[in-house]
Amino acid sequence: MSRIGNNPIAIPEGVTIDVKENVITVKGKLGELTQEFSGVAIKVEDGQAWVTRPSDSIEHKAKHGLYRSLVLNMVKGVSKGWTKELELVGVGYRASHQGQKLDLALGFSHNIVLDIAPEVKIETSSEKGKNPIIKLTSFDKQLVGQVAAKIRSFRKPEPYKGKGIKFVGEQLRRKAGKSA
């Protein structure tokens, strides 16, 4: 029994859910998201959305919780939005942006210039004495996570000094260096 899949999804005001055949569309003040689904049925009634499965087969049980979580993330995204913050730890590491182009100085011979998807809003801040921070905001949780993972992949945090790009609040597994 999927405990997650059985919970209803509360639909906040200003958000509309439209289900046609096997495609669900969620519209809100921040944007519009669509998702194809199979193996489950989605009903919208009384300001709530319910995900139900036709049988108790393994495939239907797996998809039941999955699609409920995906729809909930879509509803939260179009109403509140999703945010990820990345922190650049290291001497000389800098980040700046112009429009949708992110310019990263990460200790390589050349700066890395990355084009960010137009759905993602980007902010960079660098205060004296603090590590530079990149803030990504969008209504699409999957896209924000994908862009953040791409930025982090340029210089993953290393376990000895902790230098690299990490998520704000991320706990790194540190190692002891050579013992003399």
Side-chain angles (χ1 to χ4, degrees), residues 46-116:
D46 304 333
Q48 290 183 329
W50 296 85
V51 179
T52 56
R53 62 177 182 252
S55 73
D56 283 346
S57 71
I58 293 172
E59 184 183 342
H60 289 149
K61 281 183 175 181
K63 288 183 176 181
H64 190 204
L66 167 75
Y67 285 118
R68 193 255 179 208
S69 294
L70 289 177
V71 172
L72 179 67
N73 288 339
M74 290 164 67
V75 169
K76 282 184 181 175
V78 296
S79 59
K80 295 178 193 158
W82 296 99
T83 302
K84 288 236 186 233
E85 289 185 344
L86 295 139
E87 182 179 10
L88 279 66
V89 180
V91 178
Y93 288 7
R94 290 187 309 278
S96 62
H97 75 285
Q98 282 191 318
Q100 290 299 101
K101 287 192 185 291
L102 178 65
D103 189 11
L104 299 167
L106 300 174
F108 298 118
S109 60
H110 290 66
N111 286 0
I112 297 169
V113 179
L114 184 67
D115 286 324
I116 306 294

Side-chain angles (χ1 to χ4, degrees), residues 157-162 172-179:
E158 52 96 16
Y160 298 103
K161 290 185 177 177
L172 299 177
R173 194 160 159 246
R174 300 295 293 267
K175 290 183 179 178
K178 292 190 288 186
S179 54

Side-chain angles (χ1 to χ4, degrees), residues 13-27:
E13 234 170 89
V15 175
T16 58
I17 295 181
D18 185 32
V19 181
K20 285 190 182 140
E21 292 178 26
N22 64 342
V23 176
I24 183 167
T25 305
V26 180
K27 293 180 189 169

Side-chain angles (χ1 to χ4, degrees), residues 152-172:
R152 186 177 186 270
S153 71
F154 291 129
R155 189 69 102 170
K156 286 188 176 169
E158 52 96 16
Y160 298 103
K161 290 185 177 177
K163 289 171 51 172
I165 302 174
K166 68 182 192 89
F167 294 108
V168 171
E170 179 182 8
Q171 294 291 318
L172 299 177

Side-chain angles (χ1 to χ4, degrees), residues 141-152:
K141 184 177 186 179
Q142 187 176 352
L143 187 62
V144 169
Q146 191 174 352
V147 171
K150 178 70 176 171
I151 293 170
R152 186 177 186 270

